[in-house]
Amino acid sequence: GNKSQDSGIAEMEELPVPHNIKISNITCDSFKISWDMDAKSKDRITHYFIDLNKKENKNSNKFKHKDVPTKLVAKAVPLPMTVRGHWFLSPRTEYTVAVQTASKQVDGDYVVSEWSEIIEFCTADYSKVHLTQLLEKAEVIAGRMLKLSVFYRNQHKEYFDYTREHHGNAMQPSVKDNSGSHGSPISGKLEGIFFSCNTEFNTGKPPQDSPYGRYRFEIAAEKLFNPNTNLYFGDFYCMYTAYHYVILVLAPVGSPGDEFCKQRLPQLNIKDNKFLTCDEEDGVMVYHHAQDVILEVIYTDPVDLSLGTVAEITGHQLMSLSTANAKKDPSCKTCNISVGR
């Protein structure tokens, strides 16, 4: 007989092509994959080839790891198979995936099936477990606590005029932008009003400068933060700068914002945490904030302007400090966790 018949290659049946691919148990950096295939020649399959790619869009990350293979060669394990970590899967990112079955030959080469159809899926946000890891990293650098007495919000005059005319004097929650960690479960989903509470070290008062407009709404801390408020940790990030931001969420107990956060964010003890505390001393509420991080506080209910004061600030508008849609520095060792970027 001729050589090809002796080696059995010529008669080799084609390997079954995976079809009806299903993706399940999606997290921010893993997923399970399974598929159907013909029983014929099934026993010859030794490996699966999985081709995973970020769904390209115009503003996709140009600095894709060139050295990270998009094809995973996996031993043929029972399905569903868990895929994790091989590609630094990013949270909240769209991917395409296709699969081949393969049979490893004696010489080390593979015989492979046709590729399956390509399917798309999107990875999930950070879970509470991941956020707790971020929280622990933030606690390390929070620094000592300083007293505060007010929360404040800077905006342009037009914003406050509009609030008075169109919203019956009440500032309205709006959807949080995409600044901060890419896996943050609050970005693009949680509705709230941003407040600051950092004070100047020497005066104990809010700084006179702001990136967000020349008018400032100031409100006594206890109007927003008291024992009827739940406090949640939302995010920890920096933007290629030396200073770090921590996002906290203040949600009135039982409010829609509170229900949203309960499912997704680590809750903090309002009297005892490293970022923002509210405690009673001699019948008076006393407030402290962390010195070494910039706190961004999201309050999840409308706030009436009559509860505080609006006045023009004397300082500068420091646009460079604005965090609108700011991208987190993925290489910072201080504020990144080891799961999906």
Side-chain angles (χ1 to χ4, degrees):
N2 67 34
K3 245 191 142 101
S4 72
Q5 276 175 329
D6 290 348
S7 64
I9 299 291
E11 277 82 45
M12 232 175 181
E13 289 180 53
E14 285 188 11
L15 290 170
V17 181
H19 58 93
N20 194 20
I21 295 173
K22 290 191 178 62
I23 304 283
S24 61
N25 294 64
I26 300 171
T27 72
C28 69
D29 65 345
S30 72
F31 61 92
K32 282 189 172 170
I33 184 167
S34 65
W35 57 82
D36 302 332
M37 52 192 168
D38 292 340
K40 209 171 57 164
S41 299
K42 217 176 187 174
D43 50 357
R44 289 194 15 246
I45 297 170
T46 61
H47 291 78
Y48 305 137
F49 288 4
I50 298 176
D51 187 27
L52 184 80
N53 288 287
K54 256 187 199 172
K55 213 175 137 184
E56 290 305 331
N57 55 18
K58 301 280 177 290
N59 52 9
S60 69
N61 183 358
K62 293 282 179 284
F63 307 103
K64 193 171 174 182
H65 293 279
K66 287 281 177 272
D67 54 341
V68 176
T70 56
K71 287 191 183 55
L72 170 70
V73 180
K75 281 231 162 62
V77 295
L79 298 174
M81 178 178 91
T82 300
V83 177
R84 68 154 51 83
H86 296 91
W87 296 276
F88 302 116
L89 281 167
S90 299
R92 204 188 269 211
T93 303
E94 293 189 327
Y95 288 93
T96 59
V97 66
V99 199
Q100 286 175 314
T101 57
S103 173
K104 194 169 190 177
Q105 307 300 292
V106 185
D107 60 8
D109 277 352
Y110 290 94
V111 173
V112 294
S113 72
E114 299 281 314
W115 282 107
S116 70
E117 80 268 31
I118 295 171
I119 65 157
E120 299 178 2
F121 71 99
C122 188
T123 47
D125 296 334
Y126 283 156
S127 67
K128 266 192 199 176
V129 173
H130 300 118
L131 286 168
T132 301
Q133 291 173 21
L134 262 188
L135 162 63
E136 286 163 359
K137 296 200 94 168
E139 286 174 339
V140 173
I141 69 151
R144 69 190 182 116
M145 304 289 276
L146 302 175
K147 269 195 174 171
L148 74 121
S149 58
V150 298
F151 289 102
Y152 55 96
R153 172 172 173 78
N154 282 70
Q155 276 287 353
H156 302 286
K157 184 171 180 292
E158 294 76 23
Y159 169 83
F160 293 112
D161 292 344
Y162 191 89
T163 297
R164 291 183 190 103
E165 285 166 37
H166 298 272
H167 292 301
N169 217 37
M171 295 187 289
Q172 298 300 310
S174 59
V175 176
K176 187 197 164 300
D177 69 8
N178 284 315
S179 60
S181 299
H182 192 56
S184 168
I186 59 178
S187 292
K189 293 179 183 174
L190 178 68
E191 296 193 3
I193 305 169
F194 260 111
F195 285 93
S196 300
C197 65
N198 291 71
T199 54
E200 284 189 318
F201 185 65
N202 49 356
T203 65
K205 291 186 161 47
Q208 277 302 319
D209 302 321
S210 163
Y212 299 111
R214 300 203 53 81
Y215 284 77
R216 173 173 292 169
F217 172 74
E218 244 177 60
I219 184 169
E222 62 264 22
K223 298 258 174 76
L224 299 187
F225 189 21
N226 53 59
N228 296 319
T229 326
N230 281 332
L231 178 67
Y232 297 91
F233 172 82
D235 201 2
F236 177 44
Y237 69 102
C238 72
M239 305 175 297
Y240 305 90
T241 50
Y243 41 88
H244 277 82
Y245 294 85
V246 167
I247 297 181
L248 302 174
V249 184
L250 279 177
V253 174
S255 66
D258 190 33
E259 293 308 311
F260 177 94
C261 294
K262 245 193 197 73
Q263 313 294 318
R264 298 170 179 83
L265 306 181
Q267 189 170 347
L268 301 175
N269 178 339
I270 66 169
K271 293 183 179 182
D272 180 24
N273 68 77
K274 292 274 198 286
F275 310 108
L276 182 66
T277 60
C278 156
D279 210 352
E280 204 174 309
E281 289 174 22
D282 305 326
V284 181
M285 294 306 240
V286 179
Y287 296 87
H288 289 87
H289 71 87
Q291 172 188 324
D292 294 337
V293 290
I294 299 176
L295 295 178
E296 301 185 300
V297 178
I298 300 177
Y299 188 77
T300 62
D301 272 10
V303 176
D304 201 290
L305 292 176
S306 65
L307 295 172
T309 57
V310 175
E312 192 168 0
I313 56 169
T314 56
H316 303 285
Q317 258 188 267
L318 304 172
M319 288 320 292
S320 62
L321 284 174
S322 170
T323 60
N325 284 311
K327 288 287 159 268
K328 178 171 179 172
D329 176 0
S331 64
C332 176
K333 297 282 183 282
T334 306
C335 61
N336 282 284
I337 52 178
S338 59
V339 295
R341 302 297 187 268

